[in-house]
Amino acid sequence: MTSSLKTRRRKEKWFRRMGFLSLCLALLFLGGILGKIVYTGYPAFFRTEVAAQAERPDLLNVHARYFLKENKKWITASDDVDMYYKHEVVGNLTPHQIQAIDSLKNQGQIRLVFNTGFFTHSDSREPELAGIWGGLIGSLLTLFVTFCTAFPIGIGTALYLEEFAPKNRFTNWVEANINNLAAVPSILFGLLGLVFFIHFLGLPRPSALVGGLTLGLMSLPVIVVATRAALSSVPPTLKEAALGLGATPLQVLFHHVVPMAMPGIMTGVILSLARALGETAPLLMIGMVAFIATPPSTFLDPTTVLPVQIFNWSRSSEMGFVENTSGAILVLLIVLAILNGIAIFIRKKFES
Amino acid sequence: MPLKIDVKDLNLFYGDKQALFNVSLGFPEFQTTALMGPSGCGKSSLLRCLNRLNDIIPNVHIQGKVLLDKEDIYAPSLDVVELRTHVGMVFQKPNPFPHSIYENVAYGPRIHTLFKDKTELDEIVEKNLARAGLWDEVKDRLHQPATRLSGGQQQRLCIARAIAVNPEVILMDEPCSALDPIATARVEELIDELRERFTIVIVTHNLQQAARVSQQTAFFHSGHLVEAGETGALFTMPQDERTQGYITGRYG
Ligand SMILES: Nc1ncnc2c1ncn2[C@@H]1O[C@H](COP(=O)(O)OP(=O)(O)O)[C@@H](O)[C@H]1O
Ligand SMILES: [Mg+2]
C-alpha cells in the first residue's frame, strides 16, 4: 500500500519534471527565433542619410541658397553605405569611398533616422527604398475578400448543419468531409484556386480577388467547424426555455443561440483570418509571386501580400534585403499578435 | 371538475424504443397533478408530450391523443407555437436567459406582443414577478443579470417568465430537485398559490412534496401508468404493490 503510494508519487514528480523541461525547451526555441528576428530586423526601421551640399551655392536661387547653407539637406544613402554605417560591412565599397564615409562621420555629416519609407513605400529593387506598403494594402484587400466570402458562407453552412439539417447519411458525410477539409494542407487549396478561379473562370492572375477567394476556400472549413462548436455549446436547456415560451425555431436561433455563440464564432473567424493573413503557399500556387512596385487600387490589380513579399525578399542575397525580410516578418508578427489579442479579448469579455 | 387535459391511449417511441405504453390520464382544471415513479419510467416524456416539446427530438413518434380543452394538440392543423403559449413549462434546472431579470420576464410578452407600450410592459413584469413571490427581492435590481440570483430565486424567476405569457397550464419537471430545502419550501408555497389560476402538472420524486402540493397523483412504472387517484387516497391505500413498494421506499 505505502510502497505503491511512493511509486505513484515518484511517477507524478517525474511527469511534472518532464513537463516543465519541455516547456522550458519550447520557450527557449521561441525566444531564440524571436530574438534572432528582432536582432536582424530592427535596423530595417532605420535608414542612413548623408548631408548634401551644393558645389556652387552662388548659382542657386536665393531661397535654395539660404536653405542649403543654413540647413543641411539630408539625402538617403545607398544601401552599401547604409550597411557600412550600420554594421561596418565593406561590401562593394572602394577604400576611397570608405575613407569618405569615415570623414563624413567625423564631421557629423552622416546620420541614422527612422525609416518611414519602410512603411510608406512599396517594393523596390533597391533595398534602401523598398517598403511594405504595397504588401500591406494587398494583404488588406485580399483579407477583405476572404472575409466577405468565407464569413457569410461559413456561418450559413454551420447554422444549417447544426440547427436545421436532418440527421441522415448525407449530412453525416458532408460533416465528416468538412472536418477533414479543415486539416487539408493549404497548398491544395492553392491548386483548387488555380484550376477553378484562374483556368476555369479566367479571373486575373495575381489579383486580390483571386487570392482572397482562394484563402476564403481555405478558411471556410475552419470557420464552419469553429461556428458549429460555438453553436453546439449553447445549452439545450436555454433553447427549450425559449421554445417553451412559444418562440419559433427561428426566434430561438436569432434571439438566443446566435448571440450566445457569437464570441465563439468571432474568435474562430478572427483566428482563421489570422491564419489566412500569414499564408503563403496557396498564393504562390496561384501565381501571386510577381514583383509589384505599385500598391493595388482595385481588387483586380496585380497584387502582392505581406508574406509573399517576405518570401520574395528572402530570396535576395543583398544584405539590405536580409534586414528588410526580418523587419517585414516583425511587422507581420505584430499584426498577427494584435489579431490574436482581439480574439482573446472577445473571448474573455463574453466569458464572464 | 372538468378535465383541462385528457391523455388517451398515448404511446411514445424514441426510435424503436417505446417509452410510454397506452397511457390514459385526465388532468382536472385548477388542480395540481403529481407524476411519480422511479427514474426512467417516462414521467418527463409524458410531460413533454403535453406541450409538444418532444417534437424537437429527432425520431420521436407518438400514437394516441392529447386533448387540451377537448382539442387534439397533435392535430395537423394545430399551431405548436400557439399551443406553447397556453401550456407553459418550468424545467428541472433553473434556466434563466443570460439577460437581465427584467428581460427574462419580458421576453414572452415581447415575442407575442402582449403589451402596447413600455409602461404596460413594466406592469406585466412587476405583476408576474409579484405572483412568483420575487418582486420584493429583486425590485431594486431588475436590470442586473438573472444569473446572479440564487438557485431558488432563479427558479421562481423561471416561473414568473412562464406565467407572463398567460398560460392556462404549467408543466413542472422536478422544479425543486436543484434547490435547497428553504428554497424548495418557497417554491412549493408558490405552486399552491398558482393553482387558483392555473392547471399544474408536476413531476416529483418527493412523496412529501407530492402530498403537499398535489390533489391528484399518478404513479408510473417502466412506461406504464400503474394507478392514479386522489393524492391522499393513493398514498394511504395504494392498490398496486408497485406503488406500495415505491411509497414504502423499497425502490426508487
Ligand atoms: N431523447 C431521448 N432519446 C432516447 N431515449 C430517451 C430520450 N429521453 C428519454 N429516453 C428514454 O425514455 C425513458 C423515459 O425517460 P424519461 O421520460 O426521461 O424518464 P423520467 O423522467 O421518468 O426519469 C428512459 O428509458 C429514457 O432512457
Ligand atoms: Mg425526468
Side-chain angles (χ1 to χ4, degrees), chain A residues 244-245, chain B residues 84-86 88 107-109 111-112 114 128 160-167:
Chain A
L245 288 171
Chain B
R84 290 184 189 142
T85 65
H86 298 303
Y107 182 70
I111 58 174
H112 301 298
L114 300 180
N128 288 290
R161 178 177 69 182
I163 59 184
V165 290
N166 300 321

Side-chain angles (χ1 to χ4, degrees), chain A residues 76-80 82 115 117-118 121-131 291 293 309 313 316 318-321 324:
Chain A
T76 306
S78 81
D79 60 325
D80 287 331
D82 191 52
N115 186 7
F118 187 72
H121 293 168
S122 290
D123 204 0
S124 165
R125 294 289 183 210
E126 308 301 327
E128 72 275 16
L129 294 178
F291 167 81
Q309 204 177 342
W313 282 355
S316 167
E318 277 172 77
M319 264 207 76
F321 277 121
N324 283 353

